[in-house]
Amino acid sequence: CGGAAAQEMQTAQVFAMDTVMGLQATGGETAEALAAAEDEIYRLDEELSRTREDSAVSQLNRAEAGTSVEVGAELYDLIARALAFSQATDGAFDITLAPVSSAWGFTEDAYRVPAQEELAGLLAHVGSEHVHLDGASAVSLDQGTQIDLGAIAKGYASDAVAAIYQEHGITHGIVDLGGNTWVCGGNLKGEPWRIGVQDPARAGEAEAYTGILRMGDGFAVTSGGYQRYFEENGKTYHHIIDPATGHPAESGLTSVTVVADGTVGNGTMCDALSTALFVMGEERALDFWRSGVYDFDLILVTEDGRLLVTDGIADRFQPDETAGYAYE
Ligand code: ADP
Ligand code: MG
Ligand code: MG
């Protein structure tokens, strides 16, 4: 990425993974890059979706418990990475929540509040220890365990598109896969890209931001309870589940944005960590950031109206005063 600016950005819109995605690129083989990116996103949707019956993930979920299923090197590696993120986050990130998400109706769009006994029964099959990596390309699941890569698939797709842009010599680009953003090369005026971070309190409103992040090259991935939820008896239930309870995470955070440099691979990391840190809450999230296990920065929005930004990006983040957060 980078280099002499071309005249204008070419754009493409893709609907996949339940998300409207926007691609922009210029320089290099732009049309080829956009076409290849689109194909790649559809391919990954077909491979990784839990709701498509013929996806590799569905075939694994349907297989008889304990049978080793040949999933191919790509899915195997992604599952292996997901298990590593579970371990690193003390289980806050967990791809085996699939049956729990279904019980809440998030997978099937049939929302309900499951009974405590039902959740307890399902939670017995949740946890990385129920997923087994066999050899170099096969996986088996324990009885009652199913996987859902929804918290990591878009990040993985953004890595794949970033790689395609690089292969095609794109000099300036934006890949926006619904809250999973990769930018490269800065804008055509030679400035960093400006990435708006959605204000969770004004979800659904266009250009309602907690602030703007300026970034030439990098990933920024946001997870928030506002992205998918339902209401019942005056209470709101959202789609990010705390594996410790089987309930939507109530960690005191309303959104988590994870920011990292643009190296291919970081998109997957940012997606996994934004989900995990949302579950972990402010204190655990900041401890995890300080631990330095992974190299990233954070924008946290708390339920009690605070906005926290870590040192590495503080000089690149401009809070939006009209959003009314106390900036720390
Ligand atoms: P979005 O889907 O809005 O991009 P996330 O990346 O945070 O948001 O992923 C949330 C999705 O991941 C949920 O819809 C569900 O399928 C799955 N999920 C929910 N809770 C967890 C969790 N604690 N760990 C891993 N995956 C989860
Ligand atoms: Mg995620
Ligand atoms: Mg996501």
Side-chain angles (χ1 to χ4, degrees):
C1 266
Q7 302 72 23
E8 67 185 274
M9 305 293 291
Q10 275 177 243
T11 63
Q13 210 181 57
V14 182
F15 183 77
M17 302 182 176
D18 275 329
T19 305
V20 180
M21 303 176 168
L23 307 178
Q24 298 188 38
T26 191
E29 306 156 334
T30 306
E32 291 85 347
L34 290 175
E38 198 169 331
D39 288 349
E40 177 68 354
I41 291 167
Y42 289 133
R43 184 187 70 80
L44 289 172
D45 194 3
E46 280 165 25
E47 177 87 355
L48 305 178
S49 164
R50 183 158 90 85
T51 51
R52 290 169 184 267
E53 272 186 34
D54 47 352
S55 74
V57 165
S58 291
Q59 289 173 35
L60 174 61
N61 283 339
R62 262 201 315 271
E64 201 185 320
T67 1
S68 197
V69 179
E70 212 34 71
V71 295
E74 180 179 51
L75 180 54
Y76 178 96
D77 288 345
L78 187 56
I79 292 174
R81 284 192 76 187
L83 297 178
F85 288 122
S86 293
Q87 193 166 27
T89 61
D90 285 327
F93 183 81
D94 196 327
I95 56 169
T96 66
L97 283 166
V100 176
S101 293
S102 288
W104 289 92
F106 285 115
T107 316
E108 293 78 10
D109 287 330
Y111 303 128
R112 57 191 272 272
V113 179
Q116 204 48 47
E117 311 85 79
E118 182 184 353
L119 287 176
L122 296 173
L123 283 173
H125 308 285
V126 167
S128 321
E129 67 276 17
H130 299 295
V131 181
H132 310 281
L133 300 171
D134 306 327
S137 59
V139 178
S140 63
L141 304 177
D142 287 346
Q143 179 64 46
T145 299
Q146 296 203 354
I147 64 160
D148 173 357
L149 299 174
I152 200 172
K154 278 181 275 176
Y156 182 72
S158 71
D159 279 328
V161 174
I164 287 171
Y165 272 34
Q166 286 168 4
E167 280 160 30
H168 289 84
I170 297 304
T171 56
H172 304 72
I174 302 184
V175 173
D176 174 10
L177 311 188
N180 289 242
T181 306
W182 178 73
V183 295
C184 84
N187 70 21
L188 298 183
K189 289 184 261 171
E191 298 160 349
W193 292 110
R194 295 163 58 85
I195 301 169
V197 179
Q198 176 71 44
D199 178 2
R202 294 177 291 163
E205 263 181 63
E207 304 194 7
Y209 301 132
T210 55
I212 303 282
L213 178 67
R214 281 176 288 114
M215 187 160 70
D217 297 272
F219 286 97
V221 178
T222 300
S223 279
Y226 61 89
Q227 277 162 343
R228 200 169 159 85
Y229 62 91
F230 67 96
E231 282 168 39
E232 196 171 298
N233 299 327
K235 202 168 153 30
T236 301
Y237 300 94
H238 62 73
H239 71 315
I240 301 175
I241 310 283
D242 183 348
T245 63
H247 281 257
E250 293 185 50
S251 67
L253 295 176
T254 53
S255 114
V256 173
T257 301
V258 176
V259 180
D261 75 49
T263 312
V264 172
N266 278 351
T268 306
M269 172 188 80
C270 288
D271 198 2
L273 294 185
S274 64
T275 306
L277 300 186
F278 184 90
V279 171
M280 288 158 79
E282 175 180 341
E283 209 171 312
R284 281 175 72 197
L286 290 174
D287 282 346
F288 185 78
W289 171 73
R290 279 186 215 103
S291 76
V293 177
Y294 296 99
D295 193 9
F296 64 91
D297 275 287
L298 278 176
I299 302 166
L300 303 179
V301 185
T302 71
E303 228 160 51
D304 60 8
R306 289 171 300 122
L307 178 59
L308 292 91
V309 177
T310 55
D311 300 341
I313 52 170
D315 59 345
R316 291 191 271 142
F317 183 77
Q318 176 74 51
D320 181 336
E321 252 120 66
T322 61
Y325 291 99
Y327 184 52
E328 298 180 5

